[in-house]
């Protein structure tokens, strides 16, 4: 039984989809005014593995993730560079995809943009005005939080407490200090669209309500995002969506939020300028290392970022990568012995434990431990076959391989195509270098042999002597 933690109810609940066999998910995307940082990456890696596990369980998943391509920060960046807001958003949307592709994050079914959803946004704002939940003033349109009786139910905040503790500049035009903008009147040098209230552009919160309604309907299964979006963004989404639809049971069934990434226990954010972009990190670490680093911690827990933690993740992932190489090598063998029956049975038991961990609110940290458990057993069998001469069991090893690939596939490992993209040229060159080193050793030219080994090591390549000859791997 799959259980998810629902932020709205503050407890784990059995997951029951609206439509049997189908899952609908909306996740808040990035505001593309800069390269995505590692804090941005966490929710998308998290949702990627969640999507994969739903598919593993046989669900058909529809996943929507937006781009906030019209925003104050984008406009500011565009003005600073003397380019258009679209130039900025397009540039960093491309950067987003490059970063996420490197992290093995599969693309969403649809990536709606604010600029492409203006008619739907205007229609939703007009409905809220007509129903008395919103009011126009001087070309702006505000949502009246006092009109929505359940305002604060997601974040657990009370309106009177928010008003008392508000540290926002008082706008005398608002009916209540916490009222938020659904539509903003046009200002010089900003993008704008025609509306019943004059030229302007959408407020932040209305976009996700309009997009989820357009692509998933009035009710869908899961709304996700980072914990920083619980208030005010997701709180405001609930208020405006349910007011518009007129049904307190409409909109998302489950609200799921990932924890922050911190640096020295302080939240990482662009506003604090204490962030590292994914692009910068990828200059030093492979994308799968970054993905593995993120998934080693449960998605709701804080994750402290450091070079030391990334290096630990690289080392741990390296152990699994070694096993992956063994799996690929053994998969090419033929054999009719019955030496891998115990391995296959253990592998299938590990898969059951893996599924149980994922069914418990997507506990990737515990699930990954089952991958390591199988790694150990495969490594032992590999040594038995290659070093000790034990006959190979192709049939039962195929069962173990299937279990290995299933778990790795959900976690999203061993999918990088960079090594394969050169059509085997890298491996051919490495075999040439290894051959030259072997010739040097045969001629007892130890200086040359050692130099080749040391230079390769400095370049991140390690040579291993095996009964089948010298193998190479990336350190």
């Amino acid at each position: 039984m799959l259980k998810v933690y629902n932020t709205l109810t503050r407890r784990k609940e059995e997951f029951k989809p609206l439509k049997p066999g189908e899952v609908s998910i909306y996740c808040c995307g990035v505001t593309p005014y800069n390269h995505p940082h590692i804090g941005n990456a966490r929710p998308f890696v998290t949702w990627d593995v969640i999507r994969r596990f739903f598919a593993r369980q046989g669900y058909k998943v529809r996943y929507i993730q937006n781009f906030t391509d019209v925003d104050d920060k984008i406009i500011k960046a565009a003005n600073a560079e003397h380019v258009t807001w679209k130039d900025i958003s397009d540039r960093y949307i491309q950067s987003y995809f490059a970063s996420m592709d490197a992290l093995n994050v599969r693309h969403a079914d649809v990536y709606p943009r604010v600029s492409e959803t203006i008619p739907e946004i205007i229609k939703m704002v007009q409905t809220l005005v007509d129903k008395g939940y919103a009011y126009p003033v001087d070309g702006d349109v505000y949502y009246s939080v006092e009109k929505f009786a359940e305002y604060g139910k997601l974040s657990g905040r009370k309106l009177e407490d928010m008003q008392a503790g508000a540290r926002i500049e008082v706008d005398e035009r608002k009916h209540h200090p916490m009222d938020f903008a659904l539509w903003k009147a046009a200002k010089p040098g900003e993008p704008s669209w025609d509306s019943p209230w004059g030229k302007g552009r959408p407020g932040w919160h209305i976009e996700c309500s309009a997009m989820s309604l357009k692509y998933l309907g009035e009710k869908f299964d899961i709304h996700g995002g980072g914990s920083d979006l619980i208030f005010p963004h997701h709180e405001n989404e609930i208020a405006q969506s349910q007011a518009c639809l007129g049904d307190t049971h409409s909109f998302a069934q489950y609200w799921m939020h990932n924890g922050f990434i911190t640096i020295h226990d302080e939240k990482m954010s662009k506003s604090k300028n204490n962030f590292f972009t994914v692009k910068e990190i990828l200059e030093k670490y492979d994308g799968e290392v970054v993905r593995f680093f993120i998934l080693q911690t449960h998605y709701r827990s804080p994750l402290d970022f450091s070079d030391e933690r990334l290096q630990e993740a690289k080392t741990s992932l390296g152990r699994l990568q070694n096993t992956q190489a063994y799996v690929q090598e053994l998969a090419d063998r033929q054999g009719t012995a019955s030496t891998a029956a115990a391995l296959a049975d253990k592998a299938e038991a590990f898969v059951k434990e893996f599924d149980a961990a994922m069914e418990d609110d997507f506990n990737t940290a515990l699930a990954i431990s089952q991958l390591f458990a199988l790694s150990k057993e495969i490594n032992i069998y590999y040594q038995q076959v290659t070093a000790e001469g034990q006959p190979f069991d192709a049939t039962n090893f195929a069962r173990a391989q299937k279990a290995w690939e299933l778990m790795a596939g959900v976690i999203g490992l061993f999918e990088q195509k960079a090594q394969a993209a050169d059509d085997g040229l890298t491996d051919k060159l490495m075999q040439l270098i290894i051959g030259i080193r072997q010739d040097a050793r045969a001629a007892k030219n130890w200086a040359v042999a050692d130099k080749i080994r040391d230079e390769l090591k400095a370049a991140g390549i390690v040579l291993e002597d095996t009964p089948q000859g010298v193998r190479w791997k990336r350190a």
Side-chain angles (χ1 to χ4, degrees):
M1 180 176 65
L2 176 60
K3 289 187 175 182
V4 301
Y5 183 86
N6 190 349
T7 306
L8 185 63
T9 59
R10 295 165 183 77
R11 65 175 184 267
K12 288 183 185 178
E13 299 178 359
E14 180 183 354
F15 177 73
K16 297 179 179 179
L18 289 166
K19 296 180 180 179
E22 297 182 18
V23 180
S24 48
I25 302 173
Y26 184 93
C27 182
C28 290
V30 297
T31 301
Y33 70 96
N34 201 339
H35 298 292
H37 61 63
I38 186 66
N40 299 139
R42 189 180 192 187
F44 307 124
V45 170
T46 295
W47 284 103
D48 183 66
V49 79
I50 287 173
R51 289 173 68 197
R52 289 169 184 253
F53 187 67
F54 274 128
R56 149 82 179 138
Q57 292 205 318
Y59 286 100
K60 178 182 178 182
V61 183
R62 181 163 173 78
Y63 177 67
I64 310 299
Q65 180 188 314
N66 76 300
F67 286 118
T68 302
D69 67 336
V70 181
D71 179 85
D72 291 341
K73 297 184 180 73
I74 294 173
I75 296 167
K76 181 179 179 180
N79 291 337
E81 293 189 30
H82 305 290
V83 297
T84 69
W85 61 271
K86 193 173 188 306
D87 291 330
I88 294 295
S89 60
D90 284 350
R91 179 198 306 168
Y92 292 114
I93 285 173
Q94 290 179 4
S95 175
Y96 166 85
F97 282 121
S99 295
M100 294 307 110
D101 288 348
L103 302 184
N104 295 347
V105 173
R106 296 173 178 171
H107 289 201
D109 294 296
V110 184
Y111 286 100
R113 300 188 186 196
V114 174
S115 62
E116 298 169 350
T117 321
I118 299 298
E120 292 82 3
I121 291 172
I122 291 174
K123 180 180 178 181
M124 194 169 204
V125 175
Q126 184 64 64
T127 299
L128 290 168
V129 172
D130 293 344
K131 288 191 170 188
Y133 285 94
Y135 54 95
V137 53
D138 302 329
D140 296 325
V141 181
Y142 290 100
Y143 184 93
S144 180
V145 293
E146 292 177 297
K147 294 294 182 72
F148 187 69
E150 295 183 295
Y151 191 77
K153 66 179 180 179
L154 181 69
S155 61
R157 304 185 185 199
K158 295 182 179 179
L159 195 56
E160 56 269 26
D161 295 337
M162 286 187 272
Q163 181 176 2
R167 296 181 180 179
I168 56 177
E169 185 177 347
V170 176
D171 186 341
E172 298 295 340
R173 301 177 306 158
K174 291 184 180 182
H175 296 175
H176 188 281
M178 299 306 295
D179 289 354
F180 57 89
L182 300 173
W183 187 261
K184 298 181 178 180
K187 295 178 181 178
E190 293 187 353
S192 63
W193 289 265
D194 291 327
S195 81
W197 317 284
K199 282 188 171 293
R201 59 187 175 93
W204 175 30
H205 313 295
I206 192 67
E207 64 183 73
C208 288
S209 289
M211 291 175 186
S212 61
L213 178 62
K214 179 177 181 178
Y215 292 100
L216 295 177
E218 294 186 1
K219 296 183 181 182
F220 58 96
D221 292 307
I222 300 174
H223 195 311
S227 298
D228 55 330
L229 298 180
I230 295 174
F231 187 89
H233 186 49
H234 289 167
E235 192 74 72
N236 291 349
E237 278 191 64
I238 289 175
Q240 62 202 9
S241 293
Q242 292 191 348
C244 179
L245 299 171
D247 181 358
T248 57
H249 298 291
S250 293
F251 209 37
Q253 285 203 105
Y254 305 92
W255 289 83
M256 297 175 63
H257 297 90
N258 62 275
F260 295 127
I261 288 186
T262 59
I263 297 181
H264 304 303
D265 298 321
E266 182 180 46
K267 177 182 176 290
M268 181 186 297
S269 70
K270 290 175 181 174
S271 61
K272 294 182 179 180
N273 200 34
N274 67 338
F275 67 94
F276 295 90
T277 67
V278 176
K279 182 179 179 181
E280 291 169 335
I281 298 168
L282 291 175
E283 292 174 358
K284 189 173 181 180
Y285 296 95
D286 289 342
E288 286 192 348
V289 171
V290 180
R291 181 185 181 95
F292 189 72
F293 162 73
I294 291 172
L295 295 177
Q296 279 184 307
T297 300
H298 189 277
Y299 78 91
R300 284 194 290 114
S301 299
L303 175 57
D304 201 51
F305 176 89
S306 69
D307 193 66
E308 291 77 14
R309 292 287 307 275
L310 272 174
Q311 190 60 49
E312 290 171 2
K314 179 180 178 180
T315 300
S316 295
L317 179 60
R319 291 163 52 195
L320 298 180
Q321 289 171 330
N322 285 342
T323 302
Q324 172 69 2
Y326 295 158
V327 169
Q328 292 176 326
E329 182 179 328
L330 291 178
D332 293 332
R333 286 179 173 250
Q334 301 295 321
T336 58
S338 299
T339 56
L343 170 64
D345 290 342
K346 287 181 180 179
E348 289 166 357
F350 292 145
V351 169
K352 290 181 180 179
E353 292 300 318
F354 177 92
D355 285 343
M358 291 297 292
E359 286 175 349
D360 185 13
D361 194 31
F362 308 104
N363 191 338
T364 55
L366 185 57
I368 286 172
S369 70
Q370 302 305 312
L371 200 55
F372 275 104
L374 180 52
S375 170
K376 180 180 177 181
E377 298 298 328
I378 290 176
N379 292 351
I380 291 172
Y381 185 70
Y382 175 84
Q383 293 301 322
Q384 290 172 342
V385 170
T386 60
E388 300 171 16
Q390 180 171 280
F392 183 62
D393 179 353
T395 299
N396 283 308
F397 184 77
R399 290 169 56 201
Q401 180 184 359
K402 181 180 178 181
W404 173 261
E405 292 175 348
L406 186 153
M407 290 190 287
V410 171
I411 300 301
L413 301 178
F414 318 132
E415 296 180 1
Q416 294 294 335
K417 301 296 189 293
Q419 293 184 38
D422 59 7
D423 296 324
L425 179 60
T426 300
D427 193 61
K428 291 175 184 177
L429 290 174
M430 282 304 306
Q431 294 307 319
L432 175 61
I433 293 170
I434 290 170
I436 294 172
R437 180 171 179 267
Q438 293 297 86
D439 291 343
R441 295 179 69 183
K444 297 186 178 181
N445 191 342
W446 309 118
V448 171
D450 291 347
K451 180 177 176 59
I452 292 173
R453 178 199 63 202
D454 294 343
E455 291 292 336
L456 287 174
K457 185 176 181 180
I461 302 293
V462 176
L463 301 182
E464 292 182 332
D465 291 311
T466 75
Q468 287 70 44
V470 180
R471 295 175 63 247
W472 68 276
K473 67 177 183 178
R474 287 177 169 83

